[in-house]
Amino acid sequence: MFADRVLSGMRPTGSLHLGHYHGVLKNWVRMQHEYECLFFVADWHALTTHYDTPQIIEQSVWDMVIDWLAAGVDPAHATLFIQSRVPEHAELHLLLSMITPLGWLERVPTYKDQQEKLTEKDLATYGFLGYPLLQSADILIYRATQVPVGEDQVPHIEFTREIARRFNHIYGREPGFEEKAQAAVKKLGGKKGRLYAELRTRFQEQGDDEALESAKALLDEQQSLSHGDRERLFGYLEGGGKMILSEPQAMLTAASKMPGLDGQKMSKSYNNTISLREDEAEVAKKIRTMPTDPARIRRTDAGEPDKCPVWQLHHVYSNDATKQWVQQGCRSAGIGCIECKQPVIDGVLAEQRPMRERAQLYLDDPGLVRNIIADGCEKARKLAQDTMRDVREVMGLEYK
Ligand code: SF4
């Protein structure tokens, strides 16, 4: 239950580009071999800002999943699913809303920030205010321990941790908790029980975080403990009641530095993107027509790579020898800009080639994608239902 589990989602609001590949998908591909990973299409999240253009969401869902698969996300290693196909997310969101102070949501930094940025949309909606809580439900329902986020999303994870703590504080108390926890310690057996007690004391008396982590690891290894006893022992470690919802950690990921065709960050809103599976001729055309150092008007003018957006793409796609060739050739007018752009074109096309090949398999047989998602939704739903059973029980909703 508490082994490392990573959860990450993406909103289906248009086709993915190389910025998504370098910023998110490469990371997913790596993580799927290191952790248990759950990757989901955040279609309800897309509706919080795109509620008036549902057709974009509908079109983007399957394309986005194909993009993931094309990038190397492997359903044999990660669970891929669609948020709205696991309705338990909505149930947990609703139940958590009962205990969420309004001020906590209003204080989330992205709330005001996004409202100010996206002025063309009316975001004074209940759904938009509540979207960090929906995110919390997404994370908590899978008892995810790690959530990859950029710096700007860290407050959302902190918010989720606060919600989990508040929930456990309100609903984790049970009559005779201390006695039940001690009985559970005995079930660990003499040697492990003593080790657990010693680690708990070290953490509680000396604030020794390593002892806390070792005790958690010890509990993770105990397959024979019942679900209730495990929750009690996790809660008992930190001095609280039962730990029904576990607090996730933010896994800080570096912001994508992928430059767009104009030198700004690659982003749909700047209209400077290359799609993940864009047609080869179109890729070549886009790069050939990219702006260069504005001082280099004629072929005979010397240029300065630091003032040229193409140079930034060389950083991503070229080896040291090519970069050296660009620096010298540009500054001495020894090479022309079209010549200089060719290695970038080759680099992008080489990166996209395996993606196009993988995608073709799914484009030829869309049933494969539907099956991958159906399997993923089933797996995700089982995990979500496990959590919801506990949540409903402690909230007094399991009527007999
Ligand atoms: S030679 Fe290359 S780096 Fe120099 S201005 Fe032209 S495209 Fe840019």
Side-chain angles (χ1 to χ4, degrees):
M1 173 173 98
F2 291 98
D4 260 339
R5 180 178 288 161
V6 170
L7 179 97
S8 191
M10 230 189 243
R11 294 151 49 106
T13 53
S15 62
L16 299 189
H17 51 68
L18 291 177
H20 294 111
Y21 176 66
H22 286 272
V24 181
L25 292 174
K26 264 165 83 173
N27 216 11
W28 282 14
V29 171
R30 179 183 54 79
M31 284 189 305
Q32 68 187 351
H33 300 293
E34 297 170 6
Y35 305 96
E36 178 190 353
C37 287
L38 294 155
F39 299 134
F40 70 102
V41 178
D43 53 348
W44 279 335
H45 281 286
L47 277 172
T48 61
T49 49
H50 288 63
Y51 55 83
D52 50 353
T53 48
Q55 52 293 351
I56 296 180
I57 299 172
E58 200 179 347
Q59 278 163 19
S60 308
V61 167
W62 297 114
D63 268 356
M64 189 167 86
V65 176
I66 293 177
D67 280 340
W68 293 357
L69 296 165
V73 176
D74 182 350
H77 291 285
T79 302
L80 314 185
F81 66 99
I82 298 174
Q83 184 186 29
S84 65
R85 298 264 174 102
V86 185
E88 285 78 6
H89 286 237
E91 186 184 356
L92 184 59
H93 178 214
L94 173 84
L95 295 179
L96 293 178
S97 76
M98 307 299 174
I99 64 157
T100 304
L102 209 46
W104 287 16
L105 285 165
E106 286 162 342
R107 275 202 308 273
V108 174
T110 45
Y111 176 58
K112 285 227 158 57
D113 208 54
Q114 290 275 304
Q115 273 192 332
E116 279 160 19
K117 269 193 202 138
L118 301 171
T119 45
E120 75 284 5
K121 286 183 195 287
D122 175 12
L123 293 181
T125 58
Y126 178 55
F128 185 70
L129 175 68
Y131 98 86
L133 188 64
L134 179 57
Q135 257 184 357
S136 299
D138 299 335
I139 298 166
L140 296 173
I141 206 161
Y142 297 108
R143 294 172 161 138
T145 54
Q146 303 284 336
V147 184
V149 284
E151 196 90 53
D152 58 330
Q153 290 279 313
V154 171
H156 289 220
I157 305 303
E158 194 41 55
F159 170 80
T160 303
R161 292 165 61 85
E162 281 172 16
I163 294 288
R165 277 200 286 274
R166 184 165 165 78
F167 186 93
N168 292 334
H169 177 73
I170 298 174
Y171 301 107
R173 293 159 191 273
E174 56 179 346
F177 174 74
E178 183 86 20
E179 293 74 28
K180 285 182 186 167
Q182 279 171 5
V185 176
K186 286 210 180 96
K187 289 182 200 162
L188 288 174
K191 205 168 150 199
K192 286 180 184 153
R194 276 195 297 281
L195 178 59
Y196 172 88
E198 186 198 311
L199 293 167
R200 176 175 176 266
T201 308
R202 260 170 52 200
F203 171 67
Q204 291 196 355
E205 290 181 1
Q206 299 153 32
D208 182 341
D209 288 333
E210 257 180 49
L212 177 66
E213 290 313 313
S214 306
K216 284 183 177 173
L218 175 74
L219 292 178
D220 277 335
E221 288 162 13
Q222 308 313 308
Q223 302 298 333
S224 58
L225 274 182
S226 73
H227 188 61
D229 278 341
R230 187 181 290 262
E231 282 178 350
R232 274 180 205 106
L233 289 181
F234 270 101
Y236 193 48
L237 266 181
E238 297 182 61
K242 255 170 128 178
M243 197 181 281
I244 301 141
L245 299 179
S246 53
E247 292 179 38
Q249 299 288 337
M251 187 191 253
L252 211 57
T253 55
S256 166
K257 299 224 170 59
M258 182 68 192
L261 293 163
D262 56 0
Q264 299 186 80
K265 182 183 165 194
M266 188 175 280
S267 161
K268 213 167 40 168
S269 42
Y270 299 141
N271 198 21
N272 64 0
T273 61
I274 297 174
S275 310
L276 215 65
R277 297 179 271 129
E278 191 148 347
D279 175 70
E280 293 203 9
E282 192 54 30
V283 171
K285 187 171 150 206
K286 277 186 171 176
I287 297 173
R288 270 193 207 109
T289 52
M290 270 181 76
T292 59
D293 173 2
R296 214 175 165 201
I297 299 162
R298 286 176 297 269
R299 167 71 177 77
T300 47
D301 295 333
E304 173 49 57
D306 289 337
K307 294 183 182 156
C308 176
V310 180
W311 174 237
Q312 294 187 40
L313 286 176
H314 275 293
H315 280 300
V316 181
Y317 291 102
S318 298
N319 59 23
D320 287 345
T322 307
K323 283 193 269 192
Q324 181 83 6
W325 169 77
V326 173
Q327 296 243 16
Q328 274 176 358
C330 179
R331 289 184 180 129
S332 63
I335 57 169
C337 290
I338 290 291
E339 214 179 333
C340 175
K341 287 171 175 176
Q342 193 57 46
V344 173
I345 296 173
D346 295 342
V348 173
L349 293 181
E351 181 172 77
Q352 288 179 320
R353 206 158 292 130
M355 297 198 223
R356 261 195 225 95
E357 280 168 18
R358 276 192 289 260
Q360 200 55 48
L361 184 74
Y362 300 106
L363 292 168
D364 291 343
D365 185 358
L368 282 176
V369 188
R370 303 298 193 271
N371 287 343
I372 288 167
I373 289 296
D375 282 354
C377 291
E378 201 184 317
K379 274 191 214 150
R381 205 150 180 215
K382 280 207 183 96
L383 296 172
Q385 283 170 342
D386 274 351
T387 307
M388 286 316 295
R389 254 191 302 278
D390 294 343
V391 169
R392 286 189 207 116
E393 189 189 327
V394 295
M395 290 186 88
L397 298 167
E398 283 289 359
Y399 308 116
K400 300 269 167 27

